[in-house]
Amino acid sequence: MRRFLPDTFTMLLVLTVVTASFLPVHGASAHYFGIATNFAIGLLFFLHGARLSRDVVIAGLLHWRLHLVILLTTFGIFPLLVLAIGQVVPNSILPVSLYTGMLFLSVLPSTVQSSIAFTSIAGGNVPAAICSASASNIFGMFLTPLLVGLLFSVGGQGGFSWDVLWQIMLQLLAPFIAGQLLQPWIGDWIRSKKKILMPVDRGSILMVVYSAFSEAVVEGLWHTFSVLDIATVIVANMLLLTTVLCITMFGSRALGFSKADEITITFCGSKKSLASGVPMANVIFAGQGIGAIVLPLMLFHQIQLMTCAFLAQKYADAAKRRETAKAEATGATNAA
């Protein structure tokens, strides 16, 4: 049952939302807190760049078919499915601002840590998972704002802004590149200090969430949406994740990938990154109430963790049964 319980970070996210609901930061304090948050986000992406080994990237690029399938799922199938949901579910059931959040969720890159962790547990192709999840986040810095502009332009909510792309490059990509340039000298040290530096990763996300929900609460977030609205988003997220998991799992088999590659495609192709999504929302939707926009992402984050934890264990159990059956067959053959 423990794998179905929220992890520590999720509990901290909930606590942050509750704190913002009762003690929101506003006025001059919000301005200075925003400056500190931007600095923390820059540090977060600097560490991402410094952690990523170039050898892993070069080796992973050799498996281009797998990476192409994952990228097409992440940035192609996901948005198409959410657009389909928008055609089926009317605005009276799913409010426009929450549907905007789902559209934003659909064009985000894959996670890094959880994709690799679940791939490892399930017995998948871990090196390919490392490369694919990392590449997804790098491409996402360009593709996410471009796709947001395209989708919102189609939906009549405004088009692409070069200023947004510039802000993404300045606040997220520039620190990432700086980390990559320094990676040969500091990469090993940063990877060895994972537990010490984890508060920087998670703390920056919590800061953005607190700032976003504080602003949203001041603007009346919890008076805007009902329990039914939140429940509708949860059901839509569950339907979205289930559909993508089926597409990645059965699609990879139809394309002739090995079991290890199927596992990698399933877990890397079905994830959406909270760590990248919240800072990007802070840039792309600057000046707007992003609390409602990141709410579907926060809900999807927990749903994907619980579902994929269960699925990874199922893959691992199936692998153990195959190994046991193979050993028994080999023993029977030797005995004969």
Side-chain angles (χ1 to χ4, degrees), residues 230 233-234 237 294-304:
I230 305 301
V233 174
I234 292 174
N237 277 342
V294 300
L295 184 58
L297 174 60
M298 292 175 62
L299 295 171
F300 189 86
H301 170 77
Q302 184 57 33
I303 294 170
Q304 72 181 6

Side-chain angles (χ1 to χ4, degrees), residues 6-311:
D7 56 65
T8 303
F9 182 53
T10 299
M11 295 301 293
L12 288 173
L13 279 172
V14 173
L15 180 61
T16 301
V17 172
V18 171
T19 303
S21 298
F22 291 97
L23 297 171
V25 62
H26 55 87
S29 299
H31 172 72
Y32 292 112
F33 188 81
I35 295 175
T37 300
N38 289 336
F39 175 80
I41 291 171
L43 182 58
L44 169 66
F45 278 82
F46 173 81
L47 292 175
H48 280 330
R51 284 194 191 103
L52 184 59
S53 170
R54 295 176 194 174
D55 293 336
V56 170
V57 176
I58 294 172
L61 288 175
L62 298 176
H63 207 345
W64 63 270
R65 286 182 67 243
L66 179 144
H67 303 313
L68 182 61
V69 169
I70 292 173
L71 289 173
L72 286 175
T73 302
T74 303
F75 297 109
I77 292 176
F78 255 107
L80 290 175
L81 289 174
V82 174
L83 286 173
I85 291 174
Q87 295 299 314
V88 174
V89 181
N91 293 341
S92 58
I93 297 178
L94 185 62
V96 174
S97 54
L98 291 179
Y99 180 65
T100 299
M102 289 199 65
L103 277 176
F104 175 64
L105 177 156
S106 73
V107 296
L108 287 174
S110 178
T111 62
V112 177
Q113 289 90 345
S114 61
S115 292
I116 296 168
F118 287 135
T119 299
S120 177
I121 292 170
N125 188 337
V126 175
I130 294 172
C131 178
S132 186
S134 301
S136 178
N137 277 262
I138 295 171
F139 288 130
M141 294 185 200
F142 300 98
L143 290 176
T144 295
L146 288 171
L147 289 172
V148 165
L150 175 63
L151 292 178
F152 287 16
S153 177
V154 171
Q157 302 177 50
F160 171 72
S161 169
W162 285 106
D163 182 62
V164 167
L165 183 58
W166 170 248
Q167 291 298 321
I168 289 282
M169 294 178 65
L170 183 64
Q171 294 188 29
L172 307 183
L173 184 60
F176 181 89
I177 293 175
Q180 263 288 287
L181 292 175
L182 294 175
Q183 189 273 333
W185 295 278
I186 65 174
D188 291 338
W189 181 83
I190 288 178
R191 285 187 289 269
S192 68
K193 304 297 182 182
K194 182 179 179 180
K195 291 184 178 179
I196 298 176
L197 296 175
M198 186 178 294
V200 176
D201 284 6
R202 300 188 171 184
S204 60
I205 298 171
L206 294 174
M207 289 175 70
V208 177
V209 169
Y210 178 66
S211 178
F213 273 86
S214 291
E215 182 179 352
V217 166
V218 171
E219 295 176 357
L221 174 69
W222 300 125
H223 299 290
T224 304
F225 304 117
S226 65
V227 174
L228 181 59
D229 293 333
I230 305 301
T232 302
V233 174
I234 292 174
V235 172
N237 277 342
M238 293 173 65
L239 177 63
L240 177 63
L241 179 60
T242 301
T243 304
V244 173
L245 283 172
C246 290
I247 290 173
T248 52
M249 186 184 301
F250 297 111
S252 58
R253 295 176 188 175
L255 291 172
F257 285 98
S258 66
K259 177 61 68 173
D261 288 344
E262 173 196 321
I263 291 170
T264 303
I265 292 171
T266 298
F267 288 115
C268 292
S270 62
K271 297 287 192 309
K272 289 297 178 178
S273 176
L274 183 71
S276 297
V278 174
M280 284 186 180
N282 199 46
V283 176
I284 294 174
F285 301 100
Q288 304 178 41
I290 70 168
I293 294 173
V294 300
L295 184 58
L297 174 60
M298 292 175 62
L299 295 171
F300 189 86
H301 170 77
Q302 184 57 33
I303 294 170
Q304 72 181 6
L305 288 182
M306 291 189 295
T307 304
C308 290
F310 174 78
L311 188 60

